Amino acid sequence: QVQLVESGGGLVQAGGSLRLSCAASGSIFSINTMGWYRRAPGKQRDLVASITRGGRTNYADSVKGRFTISRDNAKNTVFLQMNRLNPEDTAEYYCNAYVPSAIGREYVYWGQGTQVTVSS
């Protein structure tokens, strides 16, 4: 079993910054893609950013130029640096990880979420 634990959320004023972390633990040999999603009140959960094991990144248009995703493969951890935050970034943020199994299948795991609130 694999567990993901997010940290770093909180309350910040518009224009401020936060850095989210997500650490994976458990039966892990390696992790393929890791990502961050968010769900604003009354909306669906959407992709914010993802990063492959090799470091290739993908961002939602709404966060390009403001957010940066990175990872530490040795520590099975993914980060999301969020700059120039605005109230529209307020949401519950979730990390996920695609973990290959010993028999060649891939499973996706999710963290429990961390709240980010941006005040105007």
Side-chain angles (χ1 to χ4, degrees):
Q1 192 59 277
V2 175
Q3 297 81 38
L4 300 180
V5 178
E6 300 107 332
S7 60
L11 174 64
V12 64
Q13 288 188 331
S17 299
L18 283 174
R19 187 178 192 235
L20 304 182
S21 300
C22 172
S25 62
S27 302
I28 300 172
F29 175 69
S30 68
I31 302 177
N32 293 332
T33 298
M34 303 184 80
W36 288 96
Y37 287 71
R38 66 186 181 187
R39 178 184 286 141
K43 297 186 177 181
Q44 66 182 19
R45 185 164 56 185
D46 292 323
L47 174 69
V48 176
S50 65
I51 183 168
T52 67
R53 183 170 181 80
R56 188 171 69 250
T57 59
N58 179 49
Y59 295 93
D61 288 342
S62 60
V63 306
K64 284 180 180 177
R66 300 188 299 123
F67 291 11
T68 302
I69 190 170
S70 60
R71 63 188 285 173
D72 183 334
N73 289 332
K75 297 182 178 180
N76 293 326
T77 301
V78 63
F79 307 96
L80 186 68
Q81 178 66 44
M82 305 185 293
N83 299 328
R84 304 201 319 268
L85 285 159
N86 59 62
E88 289 70 39
D89 295 316
T90 295
E92 188 84 6
Y93 283 71
Y94 301 86
C95 69
N96 75 351
Y98 286 82
V99 181
S101 71
I103 59 174
R105 299 184 66 176
E106 187 178 65
Y107 296 91
V108 59
Y109 297 91
W110 291 89
Q112 81 288 351
T114 185
Q115 178 66 36
V116 172
T117 302
V118 184
S119 63
S120 57

